[in-house]
Amino acid sequence: MVTLAEVAQHAGVSASTVSYVLSGKRSISVGTRQRVERSIQELGYHPNAGARALASNRSNIIALMVPLRTDMYVPVMMEIAIAVATTARTHGYDVLLLTGEEGPDAVRRVTGSGLADAMILMDVELDDERLPLLRGTDQPSVLIGLPADTSGLTCVDLDFGATGALCAEHLARFGHRDIAVIGEAPAVYERHTGFAERTLDGLRSRSRELGLRMLHRPCEGGYDAMAVTLARIFDERPSITGFVVQNESAVEPLLALLRQQGRAVPEDVSVVAICPDQVATQASLRLTSVAIPAQEMGRHAVEQLVAKLEGRGSDDVVLIAPELTIRASSGPAPATS
Amino acid sequence: MVTLAEVAQHAGVSASTVSYVLSGKRSISVGTRQRVERSIQELGYHPNAGARALASNRSNIIALMVPLRTDMYVPVMMEIAIAVATTARTHGYDVLLLTGEEGPDAVRRVTGSGLADAMILMDVELDDERLPLLRGTDQPSVLIGLPADTSGLTCVDLDFGATGALCAEHLARFGHRDIAVIGEAPAVYERHTGFAERTLDGLRSRSRELGLRMLHRPCEGGYDAMAVTLARIFDERPSITGFVVQNESAVEPLLALLRQQGRAVPEDVSVVAICPDQVATQASLRLTSVAIPAQEMGRHAVEQLVAKLEGRGSDDVVLIAPELTIRASSGPAPATS
DNA sequence: ATGAAAGCGCTAACAT
DNA sequence: ATGTTAGCGCTTTCAT
């Protein structure tokens, strides 16, 4: 293993000079710098991570805690994780992958050992048990998702309230007066992850303002559950002409069932989905949708964190503005019979 | 920050004693051990990762390199990653998440800096440019996937050859004589990831042995591509009664199209999928399938790696035996008209 | 069964 | 603009 000292000797300078060439924290004459850089090249030197961490008290590692459960929005999580990893690299950080499994202990372990300089938590619950720990430490952190109490925390999330409002507006603008919201599985609401409720709030209040009638039904994914839910919806409100779906695994079943019932999309019924663009564009019908901006969320989270690590941070809630893309699944409400 | 020295002082022993209590590399009297453990508890001590890595020359970190492209088998990748992370933890290791983006440089960086003790590479290509580096270093590594030349490497993968054979056998046993294989997107074959070809080889050779006629067509995901492909297949071989699908995003379109054409599954046509169980059980029809054992692959990879790290390793190729689960999408071939 | 002490490779004062 | 040096917190000989 090549050490700093060996590079220094090879270049005919002192160890600290090599260190300063690497860190740029001191001005170095051009000649010296070049000789050092050449030696680094020739010897194939890589700074030892452990030694660096010990001496500088910084590991240049960001911990990313992903939920253990892989039942929801998996591609989104993966996309966020990858965005976090690539963005972190552009700032000189590596990413440590922690699963939710260890729970709060993982936070203690990572914080206490100096393994990571900072952490990003995904899938934060409204009253997450890890939050007190985060507040109690001076280790910077960013949450992806919004807990009930955000005081003293930095959070990044899609503005789900605005997302709901946007969906209602879109359908209202097309003349729909009566809409149904197909939500996440009941378990998601019970888990109090927050985003589902916030979407609903946005939908409700804007619907009220626009004079829309709205019905909400949670729904497990899959065909059978969707069939039951849909039947109930049309039973209760035959006049419904617009759907908002916030459940990846209900999207395709919904489309199939509508087709099967002879309801044409978008002529008879309009559908707006809240899902990743990939799902919206690969469905059997190109869906009008509000995208879940996974990459952007990951990127923002890292950038907030790096800002904090460099002392220019702020305790802030960053809500990403939703964007609705009109595709083939929504159109004017049918003329009232 | 609490240090080893502080714990030692608090417990009234020397630093080395505390270290040995922690590592268990020396026998300690019960009394001393208890006092030390108590001090550790009371002070909330966590060993400093950097110092430990520097002194012991081991970071207790495993690097996991995931492919950057998120277009294929994303949930599988995520599941593998999570299985790797949780299994690693049970052996005392943490996981560093690297994206394929950095390419071979990442291997150099991690190896050179001692950031990780070992690495796992996912989505290995037949002639992967990272392989020479791995062979040239003494850092243990395990590949998930099978390159063309496995000499000197440890690999873990599903036995895709046997998987193909199993699918052919299953359909033959049900009396099918004429089958079609709907494969991955052409790009996957061009990328030479290997698994697709190996599946095909297994299908072909067992089909020959069993007297099955077989047709293979690569297929992009989505409805439109599937519609074109399916039409061509039935044009060329109207007598086909069995399908093998190895493309997550073609599964649902295939089922929808068959339904639409009035071909009942499994009465008229049987379908066998090669996909994660989750996909097979959540499709519009519960699919007979060979599972992609993501968790098992992740777990195996880590266990191979840990074995190597502890000096009881072997340069081996571990092929996981495929398992076919019969569900509702396959049955006896229809009587010949 | 326990202690003392020498590093591990680097950073960052403190010098000049 | 560069060199000298004292740690960072731990592991691990070498002693006893």
Side-chain angles (χ1 to χ4, degrees), chain A residues 238-260:
Chain A
S239 52
I240 277 172
T241 59
F243 284 90
V244 176
V245 206
Q246 179 174 211
N247 184 337
E248 270 184 325
S249 55
V251 167
E252 205 49 64
L254 173 64
L255 295 175
L257 288 161
L258 289 173
R259 217 173 288 136
Q260 203 174 301

Side-chain angles (χ1 to χ4, degrees), chain A residues 170-172 174-182 226 230 233-234 237-245 251 253-273 285-288 327-335:
Chain A
H170 175 69
L171 289 172
F174 266 142
H176 297 269
R177 314 303 311 154
D178 219 333
I179 69 173
V181 177
I182 295 167
M226 188 66 244
L230 192 62
I233 289 176
F234 278 124
R237 294 262 178 93
S239 52
I240 277 172
T241 59
F243 284 90
V244 176
V245 206
V251 167
L254 173 64
L255 295 175
L257 288 161
L258 289 173
R259 217 173 288 136
Q260 203 174 301
Q261 298 179 0
R263 301 184 198 259
V265 176
E267 289 78 4
D268 300 331
V269 169
S270 286
V271 175
V272 178
L285 181 71
R286 290 175 51 81
L287 293 170
T288 294
R327 298 200 184 83
S329 68
S330 65

Side-chain angles (χ1 to χ4, degrees), chain B residues 14 16-17 26-27 29 32 54:
Chain B
S14 74
S16 62
T17 298
R26 186 171 169 161
S27 48
S29 73
T32 311
L54 177 57

Side-chain angles (χ1 to χ4, degrees), chain B residues 75 127 145 154 162 177 193-194 205 214 229 236 243 256 268 305 313:
Chain B
D127 185 20
T154 301
R177 312 305 311 155
T193 314
S205 59
M214 182 194 126
T229 306
E236 299 177 62
F243 284 90
D268 300 330
L305 214 46

Side-chain angles (χ1 to χ4, degrees), chain B residues 5-131:
Chain B
E6 291 173 314
V7 174
Q9 187 169 13
H10 186 271
V13 297
S14 74
S16 62
T17 298
V18 177
S19 176
Y20 283 118
V21 167
L22 253 38
S23 69
K25 289 186 179 172
R26 186 171 169 161
S27 48
I28 304 280
S29 73
V30 187
T32 311
R33 154 167 294 119
Q34 286 180 341
R35 263 182 306 131
V36 170
E37 276 164 355
R38 226 172 133 248
S39 299
I40 289 177
Q41 284 298 322
E42 283 184 25
L43 301 180
Y45 168 73
H46 287 271
N48 179 286
R52 196 167 245 196
L54 177 57
S56 67
N57 210 22
R58 304 174 92 285
S59 65
N60 281 294
I61 288 178
I62 291 173
L64 174 69
M65 217 162 153
V66 305
L68 193 58
R69 91 185 75 74
T70 54
D71 60 345
M72 204 185 60
Y73 274 174
V74 177
V76 175
M77 281 169 21
M78 190 75 193
E79 224 180 309
I80 293 180
I82 290 184
V84 165
T86 58
T87 309
R89 283 302 308 143
T90 72
H91 293 276
Y93 289 89
D94 273 294
V95 170
L96 198 76
L97 184 68
L98 304 176
T99 65
E101 194 181 40
E102 271 186 285
D105 286 350
V107 177
R108 278 191 208 94
R109 194 166 60 81
V110 169
T111 305
S113 66
L115 226 189
D117 296 332
M119 56 193 313
I120 296 176
L121 303 196
M122 291 176 59
D123 198 43
V124 178
E125 300 187 9
L126 280 183
D127 185 20
D128 203 291
E129 51 179 349
R130 296 164 299 187
L131 301 186

